Amino acid sequence: MALGLVTAGESHGPALVAIVTGLPAGLALDKEMIDADLRRRQQGYGRSPRQKLESDEVEVLAGLRHGLTLGTPLALVVRNRDHANWTWGMSPWPPDGDPSGKGAKPVTLPRPGHADLAGVLKFGHDDVRNALERASARHTAVHVAAGSVAKALLRELGIVVEGRPVEIGGETTDEAMRAATDEARKERHTLGGVVEVTATGVMPGLGSYAEKSDRLDGRLAAALMGVQAVKGVEVGDGFALARRRGTEAHDEIDPGLERRTNRAGGLEAGITNGEPLVVRAAMKPLPTLMRPLDSVDLATGEATQALVERSDVQAVEALAVVAEATVAFELARAALEKLGGDSLDDLLAAKRHYLERISARWRPR
Ligand code: EPS
């Protein structure tokens, strides 16, 4: 069965939910490891006061017994502690009593760059909150929980996935990235950046060129572009390859089928080639601004300025964790497609068999 993921949840609703299907039985999960990833996602330097309210941890409602997967749908929940301040405003059922707390007044000032305007037009909402709540990057918490499960599966296969920020506000050293964040906070700006995800220990042969939709580079790009605020994805040397000659763009093959370089980022024709997988995602500056941009009040049609709310200065470190989870999930999906298996033992046996088959030719040092 293919690995699947469905999520639900609003930013200030009661909880975020993920259902992961297609996991083999017998995979050991560790609550501490999932919670550690959830904490990493919350910790970046440019985060908003919201993160002081939340302390994300995973609950499992189904699919796990005594720490081992059952081969049945795995139901993960991350509660929104901030919901306590929004019980009237974000009540799933018609709320009791007079409007109180946050979210009680409709939002009518769409922020350029957020889902606000497109969402209300598409779905016919009067209150922008009905669009922004689901579009919010808060939702990435539960993707990180699902990615953490995928990483546990990949670890069994010897694959390690890691994400890190490589650029924030145009700066590339840790010190300069922090200074840029401090300055943006002081000047009430927001920043974007670039994250890089690498996966090591990836065997050749994940993904396929059989159909466009099978190509793993395309699947990774689609999954990463689906993360809030991501506007670009590149694999390996990506856009820089377009400016090189063929002799400087590809990765020559040595005996043992190793490569001298990894400009392709571990993917050729949408298939892993045994080299580390390298992908980068570019994030735009966050659109909730303390210096609001011009907008229009949807209630009156008059020119005004966009909604001002608490916001992160930048969430690039958070994106690194989310992108890591995203890549891990897609890689786990591709590995299960290649190797299959209802139980972890079946999966590992299939891996051994496959590696044995290609070992006559593929012998990395
Ligand atoms: C977000 C707006 C902010 C961020 C949020 C994403 O939330 P709030 O509206 O509650 O201040 O803090 O990110 C998270 C809460 C999170 O956990 O990552 C948005 O509009 O996308």
Side-chain angles (χ1 to χ4, degrees):
M1 201 164 88
L3 193 63
L5 175 62
V6 177
T7 68
E10 279 71 43
S11 178
H12 306 98
L16 306 162
V17 180
I19 297 184
V20 184
T21 54
L23 285 169
L27 173 68
L29 298 182
D30 177 358
K31 181 175 181 319
E32 262 315 299
M33 279 189 144
I34 302 175
D35 287 347
D37 278 338
L38 291 173
R39 276 196 298 276
R40 280 172 67 218
R41 193 199 69 91
Q42 290 195 273
Q43 269 162 9
Y45 189 59
R47 298 295 258 154
S48 91
R50 170 81 188 263
Q51 295 311 326
K52 296 201 171 67
L53 299 174
E54 302 295 345
S55 72
D56 293 340
E57 67 172 316
V58 73
E59 273 171 59
V60 177
L61 297 188
L64 194 70
R65 182 163 185 241
H66 301 171
L68 292 177
T69 55
L70 295 171
T72 53
L74 179 74
L76 306 171
V77 174
V78 176
R79 305 246 169 221
N80 293 320
R81 295 192 185 219
D82 197 17
H83 180 63
N85 302 311
W86 298 72
T87 47
W88 193 96
M90 286 303 294
S91 169
W93 297 107
D96 291 330
D98 293 333
S100 64
K102 294 190 170 184
K105 277 198 223 106
V107 178
T108 60
L109 310 176
R111 292 160 292 176
H114 212 287
D116 304 353
L117 182 56
V120 293
L121 292 175
K122 176 176 169 65
F123 292 101
H125 297 310
D126 292 324
D127 185 350
V128 168
R129 182 151 305 286
N130 287 335
L132 70 85
E133 281 288 330
R134 176 63 179 160
S136 165
R138 169 73 189 145
H139 167 199
T140 57
V142 85
H143 277 276
V144 166
S148 205
V149 171
K151 285 198 298 175
L153 180 84
L154 293 174
R155 221 173 288 121
E156 296 287 348
L157 294 169
I159 300 171
V160 175
V161 186
E162 281 170 328
R164 62 189 180 102
V166 290
E167 194 178 311
I168 297 176
E171 302 291 347
T172 54
T173 64
D174 285 352
E175 210 182 9
M177 291 194 269
R178 277 186 164 244
T181 306
D182 284 337
E183 186 169 335
R185 185 179 283 113
K186 209 165 78 206
E187 302 285 322
R188 306 168 80 226
H189 285 301
T190 59
L191 299 176
V194 179
V195 301
E196 182 173 276
V197 183
T198 55
T200 51
V202 185
M203 67 206 72
L206 306 187
S208 180
Y209 48 69
E211 287 289 350
K212 221 164 111 171
S213 56
D214 296 329
R215 288 184 182 245
L216 187 55
D217 45 6
R219 287 154 58 167
L220 288 167
L224 286 166
M225 288 294 288
V227 177
Q228 286 80 350
V230 171
K231 295 300 267 185
V233 175
E234 58 178 10
V235 178
D237 287 2
F239 275 62
L241 289 172
R243 296 186 287 270
R244 289 190 204 146
R245 286 183 273 189
T247 48
E248 287 120 36
H250 302 289
D251 304 308
E252 289 180 277
I253 306 172
D254 279 335
L257 306 190
E258 271 189 316
R259 305 303 178 102
R260 278 176 219 166
T261 51
N262 186 22
R263 294 154 174 159
L267 278 160
E268 288 168 310
I271 304 179
T272 57
N273 63 6
E275 298 298 313
L277 192 96
V278 184
V279 286
R280 275 182 293 279
M283 180 184 217
K284 67 185 180 183
L286 301 170
T288 306
L289 301 178
M290 296 298 129
R291 293 168 173 247
L293 298 174
D294 286 349
S295 186
V296 166
D297 187 333
L298 297 175
T300 63
E302 299 293 322
T304 179
Q305 291 196 312
L307 177 71
V308 177
E309 279 197 334
R310 74 180 167 201
S311 174
D312 304 290
V313 176
Q314 52 87 2
V316 184
E317 292 110 319
L319 175 66
V321 180
V322 176
E324 172 185 299
T326 303
V327 168
F329 201 86
E330 288 308 314
L331 260 184
R333 199 200 306 265
L336 283 172
E337 271 168 24
K338 170 82 184 104
L339 302 169
D342 289 316
S343 74
L344 187 66
D345 283 350
D346 293 349
L347 179 70
L348 297 180
K351 179 194 163 192
R352 277 194 302 276
H353 178 262
Y354 172 60
L355 290 185
E356 200 182 301
R357 171 165 78 69
I358 61 174
S359 66
R361 290 187 282 189
W362 187 63
R363 289 205 201 96
R365 258 171 281 129

